[in-house]
Amino acid sequence: MSSFSEDDAFEAAAPPANRPSLSQMAMGARPTPYLEGLNPAQREAVEAMDGPVLMLAGAGTGKTKALTCRIAHLLNTGRARPNEILAVTFTNKAAREMKDRVGAHMGQSVDGVRWLGTFHAICVKQLRRHAELVGLKSNFTILDTDDQIRLLKQLIRAAGMDDKRWPARQLAGLIDGWKNKALTPAKLGAADEAAFDDRGKALYAQYQHRLKELNACDFGDLLLHMVTIFQNHPDLLEQYQRWYKYILVDEYQDTNVAQYMWLRLLAQGHRNICCVGDDDQSIYGWRGAEVGNILRFEKDFPGATVVRLEQNYRSTPHILAAASSVIAANSGRLGKDLWTAEQDGEKVRLIGHWDGEEEARWVGEEIEAMHSGTRARLRKFSLDDQAILVRASHQMRAFEDRFLTIGLPYRVIGGPRFYERLEIRDAMAYFRVVISPEDDLAFERIINVPKRGVGDKAMTDIQVTARTNGVSLKEGARIAAQDGLLKGKAKSGVAQLIAQLDLWRYLYSNRGNEDVISDYDAEISELASKLGVVEAELALMTSKGMNVKEDCAELLLLAEQLKSQIKVLQSYVEYLRSDNDVVLAEIILDESGYTTMWQNDKNPDSPGRLENLKELVKALDAFDNLGGFLEHVALIMDNSNEEHGEKVTIMTLHGAKGLEFPVVFLPGWEEGLFPSQRSMDESGQQGLEEERRLAYVGITRAEEVCTISFAGNRRVYGQWQSQLPSRFIDELPQDHVDILTPPGLYGGGYGAAQSGGFSSEASGAGMSAAFETRVEKADVYNSPGWKRLQQRSQRSGAATNVRSGKGGHMTIDAKAALVFTVGDRVFHQKFGYGQVLEIEGDKLAIDFDHSGEKKLVASFVTPAEKAGDVPF
DNA sequence: AACTTCTTACTTTTT
DNA sequence: GTAAGAAGTT
C-alpha cells in the first residue's frame, strides 16, 4: 500500500524547506509566551524535561495544556526536533487536539511531529516498516472485529466444535485479552490454555497462523507484533530509542500491558518519558487497561519527578466536592485533592423518578428550562452546553424517543459507528477485493451480496476448490465456475462477479495510463459510429412513414444498448483520467448491483443506507487512492461528523472522558445499571471501583450544573424491573446536594424536598401512596442492594425513603417489601383483577379474571383492596 | 437457494 | 424489545 512510503525515512527527516522550521527556531532561544499562563505545578511539569516525569492530573486541571506546552518547550529549547518526539494518545481526537494546540503554542503548524498519534496509529507506522520480521508483508491489512469473528468462527467449526456453545465472540474476547497482556500463544499460562474447552491455545495459534496466511493482523497485533519485534531485535530497538529522544504519554492510566511494554522498551535508554494520567479516571480496565501501570510508575522509573495538578479550572466547588466524596470510597488511590478558586455555584441536584420514561420526560423539560433560562438562580444555557451522560448506550433510547416527540434537537455521540454499518462494510469489502484479490474474508462477504445464487452448497464447493488448489477464494471461485462445479444461477453469478472484479482491478491499476485510455477511446468511437449507422437507419425508417416503435423494436433496442455501452466506457475513461478513486468506487457500487439492491429494498432504512454509501464515496475524495482510504478507515473508527445546529449531546460516560459541559445530566443511577451488574459480577470489588471512577468522571464533566437522577422502575430486556437507587448516591455529600421534587401525578415520589429528605413529606402527600406501594413491592430480595437495605431497615425501623444520614451522607432506606402470597387477589391497570397462582423471584403468575394467565413483575400489580388508590 | 417464521440472547464501555 | 441466527417452508 502506498500510504506508507511518505513517512518512511526517519533519518532523512529534513525540515520542510518552504518555511522556517521548528528545529531552526528551536536552535536559538525563543520567547516562551506559553509558559506565562501556567500555574506552578503545570510549570514544573513543563520544565522538568529530562528524566522520567509522572504528571498526576486530576479532572479539569489543565493537563492537555501542560502536555502541549511541554512539547512546545522541548522544541523551543532545542532539546528535540519535531520528529524526535514520540507523543502517544488513546484517541484520534486527543491526537488531533494535541497537534492543534502545540501548533498554537508555537505559532505555526507542526507537521514535523510525525510521531504524535494513537498507540495503534504509531504502531502501524512502525510495523509497516518491519512487517517481515513477524512474517507479514508491509501492505498487510488490518482486520476489524467483524472479520476477526468470522475468521474465528471458521476455525471453531473446523475444529469440530459447536459454535453455538463456544461462540466466536467469546474466543475473540479471550484472544484480545491475551494480546492486551502481550501474550503470544507460546506464552500462555496454564489457566489460559485450558480456556475455551481446552482448545483456547490451539485456536489462538491457528488464528495467528491464518492471519499470516491472509497477510493480515488485528488491532491487538499492532502492538503485540511491535513488542515482539523490539524484544527480538535489540539493534532495531536501540535505533528507535535513539530516534525518540522524548516520549510523552497521555491517559497513562489507560495503558494495557502490551502498551506498557512497548513504552518501556522505547524509554529504557534515556528514560525521558513523561506520563500523564489520573488513576481516578481509569475506566478501561475491561479492555485490558492496568491501573497498576500508573500506580507503580515510580518503581519502574526510580527518581521520577512526580507532579500533581490539583487546581481545577472546570467545576464549581459543590460539583468538585461531590466528585471527591464519591471517589473517596475507592481504595488504593494515589490520592489527589482537587480544589478550585471559584466560590459560588449550584449544588449537585438529585432527583428520583417513577420510571425511565418519566426520567426522560423530566430531563427534556429541564433542558428546555435551562435553554430558556427559566430556572431559578441559573443562567440561560445553549443546547450545545448541555449533555446527558449514560452508563450504557441502551439508556439513550428513552431520551431519543422523548426528544423526538417534543422536538428537542439532540445529537448522539458514539452510536453505531459509520464504518461499522452493514452497507459501508459491504462496500469496503468490494474495494478490498479489488485492491487485494487474495483478501478471502472480503470476497466471502460480497460473493452473494447482492444475491447471486450462491448458497451454502456453492460456497462450500468454492472453499474446497480454493483449498485443494492452494489459491485464494476468488481464484477458487473462478475455477469452480469454469470447471462446471457450480451450476445454474451460482455459475453465471460467480462468473460475472469474477469478470467484474478483474475489470475493476484492471482499471484500478491503470489509472492515468494513456495507452489504456486511448484503447477505450478507440472503442468508444467505434461504438459511436455503429450507433450512428443504427440511428441513420432509424431515421430512414421514420421518413418512410413506418411506425418505428413497433416495426423496428430490435433496432431501437440495439441503439439503446450501444448508448449505454458508450456511457459505461466513458465512465471508465473519466475514471482513468481522474486523480483519485472516487469514480472507480461509483463504478464498482453501480456495476456490482449493490446500489440497485438497496434501491429495490423496501425497508424504511434503505434510503438512509444509500445516503451513507454516497457519503462513503464522498469521503474518498480526500484520498489519493482506495488503499490509503482503507488504511485510514481501519484506524480512524470515530464518527466525528460535525453536525451543525444547536443540539443537546447524548453520550456514554466512557465517551465523555476528556470533555466538559456547563450542564450535565447523569441519569440511571441505579443498582445493577450503574454500577453495572456485569462489571461487578465479572470483576468484583475492582469492577465496582472502576464503576465508581466512572461516576467520578461523570460528575467532573460538569462545569456549572450537575443533575443526577434515578428511576424506581425501568424496562430491561423489554421486561419491567424495579430498581434501587445506586449506592453511589449514598456516597454523595449531603451538604453539596439539592434534592429536587419530581413533578406530576405522583407527587413527591422519591424526592420530597429539602432538609427532611425524602421521607415524611412524600409519604404524607397521599398522592404518592401508589408510588410507594409499587416501590415497596419490588422484589428486593434478589436485588444486589438487598442485604445493604436490610441492615439499614433494622437500624432505622420501617420508614421508607431517603433521608439525611449520619456523617453527612445520603441514606436511602426501604421498608421491608410487602410480599404477595399465593391466592391473593390483585389488580393490574391493564388486565384488571386476578388471583396469584405462583411466585417466582420478582415475578408473579396471575390468573386474571378476564385476560387469563399472565406472568408479570410484582411491581405492576397492587393488592385488590388497594386498587382504588391507583391513580390511573 | 431464498424466503418465512421462530427462538434466543442480549445491554456495558472502544482503539 | 430487538436483532441475529436457526429451523422450517416454498
Side-chain angles (χ1 to χ4, degrees):
Chain A
M1 231 165 270
S2 58
S3 58
F4 118 93
S5 56
E6 101 261 358
D7 56 43
D8 208 18
F10 233 118
E11 310 83 321
N18 54 341
R19 65 172 100 108
S21 78
L22 290 173
S23 50
Q24 279 164 1
M25 288 171 59
M27 289 311 146
R30 286 259 153 189
T32 53
Y34 48 86
L35 290 178
E36 299 306 317
L38 299 175
N39 66 35
Q42 289 171 331
R43 191 151 178 156
E44 188 190 350
V46 169
E47 290 183 331
M49 285 183 289
D50 292 312
V53 176
L54 177 62
M55 204 194 298
L56 290 172
T61 55
K63 144 202 99 153
T64 309
K65 188 175 182 185
L67 205 48
T68 52
C69 281
R70 192 181 159 89
I71 295 179
H73 203 50
L74 286 169
L75 296 172
N76 230 346
T77 53
R79 298 295 180 105
R81 291 185 292 176
N83 60 317
E84 291 169 338
I85 292 176
L86 172 66
V88 223
T89 64
F90 273 84
T91 63
N92 295 296
K93 209 167 87 191
R96 230 175 296 135
E97 190 189 348
M98 213 183 272
K99 232 174 233 181
D100 292 347
R101 286 177 67 169
V102 172
H105 294 317
M106 303 294 295
Q108 71 179 87
S109 87
V110 279
D111 307 329
V113 190
R114 68 162 61 105
W115 298 101
L116 192 165
T118 63
F119 276 100
H120 297 272
I122 289 171
C123 282
V124 172
K125 270 191 192 178
Q126 293 180 340
L127 192 54
R128 292 234 185 263
R129 312 167 104 218
H130 310 294
E132 74 288 348
L133 297 178
V134 284
L136 293 171
K137 290 187 271 172
S138 85
N139 64 350
F140 61 82
T141 46
I142 302 164
L143 299 191
D144 57 35
T145 328
D146 213 66
D147 292 325
Q148 198 183 346
I149 285 180
R150 279 189 302 146
L151 191 55
L152 286 171
K153 198 165 193 169
Q154 289 173 6
L155 292 173
I156 290 168
R157 284 187 174 154
M161 295 169 79
D162 178 4
D163 66 325
K164 253 201 117 173
R165 241 193 91 187
W166 299 101
R169 280 191 66 90
Q170 191 192 332
L171 183 58
L174 283 169
I175 292 179
D176 229 42
W178 291 329
K179 289 186 174 175
N180 285 338
K181 290 190 198 135
L183 293 171
T184 55
K187 288 182 185 157
L188 281 191
D192 288 328
E193 281 188 38
F196 213 69
D197 202 22
D198 270 339
R199 279 140 137 165
K201 182 181 178 180
L203 286 167
Y204 180 19
Q206 284 171 32
Y207 171 66
Q208 291 306 97
H209 184 72
R210 191 85 183 91
L211 286 179
K212 270 177 201 174
E213 283 177 353
L214 290 165
N215 188 31
C217 65
D218 62 24
F219 262 98
D221 279 335
L222 297 176
L223 271 141
L224 181 55
H225 282 330
M226 279 322 297
V227 169
T228 311
I229 289 173
F230 284 147
Q231 282 173 338
N232 296 340
H233 302 271
D235 48 323
L236 193 70
L237 173 62
E238 233 174 88
Q239 224 174 23
Y240 275 91
Q241 287 173 342
R242 277 199 309 275
W243 279 334
Y244 301 137
K245 286 192 177 155
Y246 290 88
I247 300 175
L248 295 97
V249 189
D250 193 17
E251 307 280 17
Y252 188 62
Q253 76 283 350
D254 288 335
T255 49
N256 60 35
V257 173
Q259 289 158 340
Y260 167 78
M261 290 174 73
W262 181 81
L263 283 171
R264 254 187 57 153
L265 285 164
L266 289 169
Q268 251 165 24
H270 47 62
R271 305 201 319 146
N272 289 331
I273 182 169
C274 171
C275 292
V276 185
D278 180 358
D279 51 318
D280 291 334
Q281 292 187 64
S282 164
I283 54 174
Y284 285 109
W286 52 273
R287 74 173 201 214
E290 290 273 342
V291 212
N293 290 347
I294 194 167
L295 298 179
R296 65 160 188 259
F297 183 87
E298 293 179 73
K299 257 190 222 148
D300 288 336
F301 297 97
T305 310
V306 179
V307 182
R308 283 185 157 75
L309 303 191
E310 296 180 310
Q311 182 175 5
N312 177 289
Y313 296 98
R314 179 185 295 157
S315 314
T316 62
H318 290 307
I319 292 171
L320 277 190
S324 303
S325 168
V326 169
I327 199 65
N330 269 4
S331 59
R333 302 170 54 224
L334 290 173
K336 284 180 306 303
D337 288 312
L338 292 187
W339 59 277
T340 173
E342 296 298 311
Q343 296 291 315
D344 308 312
E346 188 74 2
K347 287 185 177 180
V348 169
R349 313 185 311 156
L350 174 67
I351 185 167
H353 298 281
W354 161 240
D355 65 12
E357 268 110 68
E358 197 197 284
E359 181 181 54
R361 199 175 313 135
W362 183 82
V363 169
E365 277 162 23
E366 203 61 14
I367 288 171
E368 285 180 330
M370 299 272 188
H371 187 225
S372 53
T374 50
R375 270 292 156 269
R377 296 191 306 279
L378 298 179
R379 66 177 179 94
K380 214 168 168 172
F381 293 95
S382 150
L383 294 181
D384 290 328
D385 289 343
Q386 309 193 47
I388 300 165
L389 310 182
V390 297
R391 174 63 184 86
S393 46
H394 64 85
Q395 289 172 262
M396 293 178 178
R397 166 179 269 137
F399 293 97
E400 292 195 58
D401 285 351
R402 181 64 195 159
F403 294 173
L404 280 173
T405 55
I406 61 172
L408 182 65
Y410 66 89
R411 104 188 86 220
V412 171
I413 299 204
R417 274 176 285 289
F418 183 73
Y419 291 112
E420 275 171 10
R421 290 176 199 179
L422 176 80
E423 65 277 15
I424 300 303
R425 298 187 40 74
D426 285 342
M428 305 266 293
Y430 269 100
F431 303 159
R432 277 164 60 184
V433 184
V434 170
I435 292 173
S436 23
E438 68 283 356
D439 191 333
D440 288 358
L441 288 167
F443 183 74
E444 200 183 342
R445 187 182 176 98
I446 51 114
I447 186 169
N448 203 32
V449 182
K451 300 264 180 289
R452 295 190 178 89
V454 182
D456 286 349
K457 170 95 172 35
M459 201 54 222
T460 319
D461 288 346
I462 290 171
Q463 273 163 343
V464 170
T465 312
R467 202 161 308 149
T468 49
N469 287 283
V471 294
S472 68
L473 267 190
K474 183 189 164 192
E475 290 312 308
R478 191 197 305 276
I479 295 167
Q482 278 167 358
D483 291 2
L485 195 61
L486 301 181
K487 296 187 181 64
K489 254 190 184 174
K491 180 179 176 170
S492 55
V494 168
Q496 193 199 11
L497 175 66
I498 299 271
Q500 287 175 326
L501 287 170
D502 288 344
L503 169 69
W504 298 328
R505 184 164 171 72
Y506 175 74
L507 291 171
Y508 179 67
S509 43
N510 284 298
R511 173 151 60 88
N513 184 331
E514 288 302 330
D515 293 344
V516 177
I517 292 175
S518 54
D519 281 355
Y520 277 117
D521 276 339
E523 211 174 319
I524 290 171
S525 40
E526 197 178 310
L527 288 172
S529 63
K530 263 192 203 162
L531 180 63
V533 173
V534 172
E535 277 176 339
E537 184 101 347
L538 281 168
L540 186 67
M541 299 294 197
T542 318
S543 68
K544 279 185 183 164
M546 291 178 68
N547 184 342
V548 174
K549 268 195 183 144
E550 278 181 16
D551 300 339
C552 316
E554 268 177 43
L555 267 187
L556 265 178
L557 190 68
L558 182 60
E560 284 311 307
Q561 282 174 348
L562 285 171
K563 273 185 206 162
S564 71
Q565 276 177 38
I566 290 172
K567 229 173 150 183
V568 167
L569 292 180
Q570 279 170 340
S571 71
Y572 293 172
V573 171
E574 185 198 345
Y575 165 64
L576 293 169
R577 289 218 165 100
S578 67
D579 57 1
N580 62 32
D581 288 341
V582 171
V583 177
L584 179 64
E586 282 166 348
I587 291 172
I588 292 172
L589 294 180
D590 204 29
E591 289 188 358
S592 63
Y594 193 72
T595 317
T596 319
M597 179 183 96
W598 288 117
Q599 279 163 350
N600 295 340
D601 194 304
K602 54 198 179 308
N603 262 313
D605 55 349
S606 332
R609 294 187 193 275
L610 286 165
E611 274 303 304
N612 290 336
L613 288 172
K614 264 191 207 156
E615 263 194 52
L616 177 75
V617 173
K618 212 165 71 189
L620 250 164
D621 201 24
F623 291 82
D624 292 344
N625 57 42
L626 273 177
F629 179 67
L630 292 180
E631 168 96 353
H632 168 82
V633 168
L635 290 171
I636 316 269
M637 290 298 259
D638 66 350
N639 51 345
S640 49
N641 36 334
E642 290 295 321
E643 299 161 79
H644 53 285
E646 214 187 292
K647 285 172 180 169
V648 181
T649 301
I650 306 175
M651 67 198 305
T652 64
L653 286 162
H654 284 87
K657 192 163 82 159
L659 303 179
E660 55 190 9
F661 299 90
V663 177
V664 167
F665 291 90
L666 302 169
W669 282 41
E670 295 138 36
E671 284 295 301
L673 179 59
F674 188 38
S676 131
Q677 192 56 52
R678 181 160 165 183
S679 217
M680 294 188 293
D681 289 347
E682 282 174 6
S683 318
Q685 191 62 26
Q686 285 198 344
L688 174 64
E689 296 209 345
E690 181 153 316
E691 295 287 308
R692 191 174 279 118
R693 291 193 290 268
L694 210 40
Y696 173 79
V697 168
I699 298 171
T700 52
R701 297 311 95 190
E703 294 169 357
E704 297 175 51
V705 189
C706 177
T707 309
I708 294 170
S709 61
F710 59 93
N713 295 282
R714 196 173 286 280
R715 203 152 44 182
V716 186
Y717 307 136
Q719 281 249 301
W720 282 98
Q721 260 194 354
S722 50
Q723 302 283 100
L724 291 167
S726 169
R727 68 190 73 187
F728 298 152
I729 287 177
D730 300 5
E731 294 164 7
L732 294 170
Q734 199 208 356
D735 292 346
H736 300 279
V737 175
D738 262 343
I739 298 169
L740 307 183
T741 311
L745 270 176
Y746 311 113
Y750 258 118
Q754 292 132 20
S755 53
F758 285 128
S759 64
S760 51
E761 205 170 324
S763 327
M767 292 284 251
S768 65
F771 178 86
E772 277 187 21
T773 312
R774 279 148 198 263
V775 172
E776 285 151 16
K777 280 195 191 122
D779 175 296
V780 281
Y781 296 112
N782 291 330
S783 69
W786 168 239
K787 232 175 141 185
R788 204 162 49 86
L789 284 165
Q790 216 174 18
Q791 287 162 357
R792 294 242 178 81
S793 307
Q794 283 162 8
R795 247 194 292 128
S796 56
T800 313
N801 304 325
V802 174
R803 129 166 63 75
S804 57
K806 284 165 203 143
H809 283 78
M810 319 289 305
T811 309
I812 292 164
D813 280 5
K815 183 155 58 181
L818 292 170
V819 187
F820 292 102
T821 333
V822 175
D824 277 1
R825 288 287 291 171
V826 293
F827 177 80
H828 181 274
Q829 54 167 311
K830 197 158 153 202
F831 303 128
Y833 289 91
Q835 191 165 28
V836 177
L837 293 175
E838 204 184 325
I839 304 177
E840 200 189 304
D842 63 337
K843 291 192 197 74
L844 302 175
I846 298 165
D847 182 20
F848 286 104
D849 300 349
H850 301 290
S851 322
E853 218 177 298
K854 306 259 182 228
K855 261 198 166 178
L856 347 132
V857 178
S859 57
F860 263 101
V861 293
T862 46
E865 66 273 16
K866 282 185 96 181
D869 294 344
V870 178
F872 285 127

